[in-house]
């Protein structure tokens, strides 16, 4: 990974997890490794191209591990690395904040119920 210069710690964090789907991918991988197709089902708004790119970025940054299982057809499984697991408290805080915000809007979402 190319060494970058950052002006503040928030910028450094966003360089790793910024992106439309990266936090969602990380959130879904907290409990268990998932096949690519399962991630696609859990994040239906992500196009296959965008999901693949975001996963590749997370892999390049060392947050996600990609394993290809040699079956017919091959399956690709993604999991958090130890470095990726270090972001869980941040993702949990985002979930709590988002839940509070959504409660104020009187909107319910089941996505954080298992992890919160």
């Amino acid at each position: 990974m190319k060494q970058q210069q950052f002006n503040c710690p928030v910028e450094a964090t966003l360089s790793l997890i910024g992106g439309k789907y990266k936090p969602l991918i990380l959130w879904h991988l907290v409990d268990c490794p998932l096949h690519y197709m399962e991630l696609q089902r859990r994040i239906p708004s992500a196009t296959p191209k965008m999901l693949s790119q975001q996963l590749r970025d997370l892999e390049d940054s060392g947050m996600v591990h990609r394993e290809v299982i040699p079956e017919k057809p091959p399956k690709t499984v993604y999991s958090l690395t130890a470095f990726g697991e270090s972001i869980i408290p941040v993702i949990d805080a985002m979930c709590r904040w988002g839940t509070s915000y959504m409660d104020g809007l009187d909107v319910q979402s089941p996505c954080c119920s298992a992890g919160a």
Side-chain angles (χ1 to χ4, degrees):
M1 185 173 175
K2 185 182 139 195
Q3 187 70 17
Q4 293 181 317
Q5 297 293 321
F6 300 109
N7 293 318
C8 77
V10 173
E11 182 181 10
T13 304
L14 287 175
S15 76
L16 293 172
I17 68 165
K20 192 167 185 176
Y21 301 108
K22 288 179 189 176
L24 290 173
I25 292 166
L26 294 167
W27 175 256
H28 288 299
L29 293 177
V30 165
D31 293 326
C32 63
L34 293 173
H35 295 282
Y36 175 85
M37 290 306 294
E38 181 60 27
L39 281 167
Q40 200 165 39
R41 276 192 287 279
R42 292 182 184 207
I43 310 171
S45 58
T47 64
K49 180 181 178 181
M50 180 57 74
L51 182 60
S52 293
Q53 180 60 53
Q54 300 271 284
L55 282 163
R56 195 168 17 265
D57 289 351
L58 288 168
E59 184 182 3
D60 289 346
S61 70
M63 299 195 86
V64 167
H65 174 73
R66 176 178 177 262
E67 180 180 358
V68 178
I69 299 170
E71 297 179 350
K72 298 260 187 213
K75 289 186 179 179
T76 306
V77 178
Y78 294 90
S79 59
L80 294 180
T81 62
F83 179 53
E85 289 174 353
S86 71
I87 200 74
I88 292 173
V90 175
I91 301 294
D92 283 342
M94 290 172 66
C95 182
R96 286 190 303 277
W97 188 90
T99 299
S100 177
Y101 174 70
M102 290 173 68
D103 286 349
L105 298 175
D106 199 27
V107 175
Q108 297 297 316
S109 174
C111 95
C112 287
S113 60

